[in-house]
Amino acid sequence: MEHNLEGMTIPKHVALILDGNGRWAKKRGLPRSMGHKEGCVTVEKTVEIAARMGIEYLTVYGFSTENWKRSEEEVGALMQLFRFYMVRLLKVASANNIRVRMIGDRTRFAQDIIDGIHRLERETRDNTGLTFVIAVNYGGRDEITRAVCRLAADCVKGRQNAADITQEVLESYLDTAGMPDPDLLIRTSGEIRLSNYLLWQLAYTEIYVTDCLWPDFNREELEKAILAYNKRDRRYGGVKA
Ligand code: IPE
Ligand code: IPE
Ligand code: MG
């Protein structure tokens, strides 16, 4: 493991809201799409840093169910970047033993993107290092609604019994089924809100917000977040002994 976090607990699952690409570009008089492009470079670097630190799951918010509200031009630029980085990611993931998983409703994407997502997941499935989770066309409310729809359909088919539904059963229908909940949520660019991210999973996650704009995020910023995480007292509703 390579980091300056001697003796620190490394969170098993880190969730990221990578915000501020637009502001980063604006500050430089560049189009928003340039901010997204630079943001993708930062994502790639962060995945490698996280893997080397020993983080087991890294979940990044790449595109929300609400981001379709943006201009056609911006959405189009994001889709193009997505296409390009899916190919690159296949190489990065293979070279670093990274398993890639996508959460969110992929059915709204163009067919070539859907095929690319399947390929990435299939070809990295047996990798045993970091699990890199990308939330695309993801919304926490949408995820819970889709889960409940499938669960209700299974009840109708007699595969589930409505009276026996527990939190574990509902969880098994979420896109994140089988994954531990995030220990630490990092949001860049200063906004203190969840923006519909992992609403179920973040129930007891420690939240860290930095003013750093996403394209400027680096190893030092990640280390600062982990140091802050180590100072937190996670009580889960209990009382400190
Ligand atoms: C985050 O950066 C990337 C996406 C939401 C796709 P933004 O594009 O939201 O950047 P700001 O918030 O406008 O600076
Ligand atoms: C959250 O950022 C979504 C992603 C990072 C993909 P937004 O920029 O969309 O969030 P709001 O609009 O500031 O809440
Ligand atoms: Mg934003």
Side-chain angles (χ1 to χ4, degrees), residues 17-19 23 61-64 67 70 135 187 191 193 195:
I17 300 178
L18 41 90
D19 201 9
R23 275 162 279 180
Y61 207 0
F63 192 86
S64 77
N67 287 147
R70 299 188 179 193
R187 181 164 186 150
E191 246 75 62
R193 57 174 167 255
S195 301

Side-chain angles (χ1 to χ4, degrees), residues 34-221:
M34 290 305 287
H36 295 314
K37 200 170 164 206
E38 199 59 32
C40 286
V41 176
T42 307
V43 171
E44 204 177 299
K45 283 188 204 152
T46 307
V47 176
E48 291 185 270
I49 294 165
R52 273 188 255 120
M53 267 186 190
I55 291 170
E56 292 179 39
Y57 293 83
L58 181 73
T59 302
V60 305
Y61 207 0
F63 192 86
S64 77
T65 45
E66 286 71 37
N67 287 147
W68 297 103
K69 289 180 196 159
R70 299 188 179 193
S71 74
E72 218 181 301
E73 188 192 354
E74 182 168 351
V75 171
L78 283 165
M79 294 300 143
Q80 273 312 104
L81 275 172
F82 198 36
R83 283 187 172 91
F84 180 76
Y85 272 92
M86 271 197 306
V87 179
R88 271 188 75 88
L89 193 54
L90 199 53
K91 289 192 193 118
V92 173
S94 306
N96 293 280
N97 193 24
I98 290 166
R99 179 166 56 150
V100 184
R101 191 163 151 179
M102 302 266 177
I103 58 170
D105 181 6
R106 59 186 73 174
T107 59
R108 193 161 166 191
F109 293 117
Q111 192 57 47
D112 67 308
I113 293 186
I114 297 174
D115 294 344
I117 292 174
H118 281 146
R119 182 165 172 227
L120 248 180
E121 289 184 327
R122 196 180 54 240
E123 293 190 16
T124 63
R125 195 171 43 200
D126 297 326
N127 290 347
T128 53
L130 174 100
T131 300
F132 177 41
V133 186
I134 311 174
V136 277
N137 192 23
Y138 177 87
R141 289 184 175 182
D142 179 67
E143 178 191 33
I144 294 167
T145 308
R146 282 185 290 104
V148 169
C149 278
R150 285 174 34 238
L151 179 51
D154 278 353
C155 287
V156 171
K157 287 179 201 146
R159 287 188 197 148
Q160 293 283 356
N161 185 354
D164 298 329
I165 295 170
T166 57
Q167 293 190 13
E168 287 71 28
V169 170
L170 180 49
E171 230 161 30
S172 72
Y173 283 79
L174 295 175
D175 296 346
T176 52
M179 283 168 49
D181 287 338
D183 300 294
L184 171 65
L185 168 72
I186 302 173
R187 181 164 186 150
T188 57
S189 303
E191 246 75 62
I192 309 170
R193 57 174 167 255
L194 295 179
S195 301
N196 204 9
Y197 195 36
L198 300 171
L199 296 181
W200 174 285
Q201 298 86 344
L202 294 175
Y204 272 102
T205 303
E206 296 298 328
I207 301 175
Y208 176 87
V209 176
T210 168
D211 285 332
C212 173
L213 302 175
W214 175 251
D216 295 328
F217 194 82
N218 55 22
R219 172 198 290 268
E220 214 185 328
E221 288 292 334

